[in-house]
Amino acid sequence: MSEEKPICSAKGCRADAVWVLAWNNPKLHTPERRKTWLACEEHREHLSGFLDVRGFLKDVVPLADWDDSAADR
């Protein structure tokens, strides 16, 4: 396991991630598949909105609570 801290997925952001945004593009992925973006506090709302307006956002979970056994990053 890597010792690097997870960082936010927002373009150019190097802040520590504290949220997992689980999403799925129904045109490309099976219904149970979850892709993930990581978000810092500052970018959580922006990234969530980007996914939600497209109908992709499935869940927003604190990073500490995320079980990534079924997700792709």
Side-chain angles (χ1 to χ4, degrees):
M1 184 171 184
S2 174
E3 291 186 28
E4 290 183 37
K5 289 185 178 181
I7 61 166
C8 182
S9 297
K11 186 175 183 175
C13 185
R14 304 302 296 166
D16 291 345
V18 292
W19 295 97
V20 176
L21 285 60
W23 62 276
N24 170 300
N25 180 340
K27 291 183 180 180
L28 302 175
H29 307 125
T30 58
E32 66 279 352
R33 185 169 178 193
R34 293 293 179 265
K35 301 289 285 180
T36 58
W37 282 356
L38 302 177
C40 64
E41 284 295 341
E42 180 180 349
H43 291 111
R44 182 186 95 168
E45 188 174 324
H46 172 75
L47 293 173
S48 293
F50 179 90
L51 293 168
D52 194 39
V53 77
R54 290 159 176 78
F56 295 173
L57 186 63
K58 301 300 180 191
D59 205 3
V60 178
V61 180
L63 180 60
D65 297 342
W66 179 249
D67 174 14
D68 65 355
S69 61
D72 298 325
R73 290 194 185 193

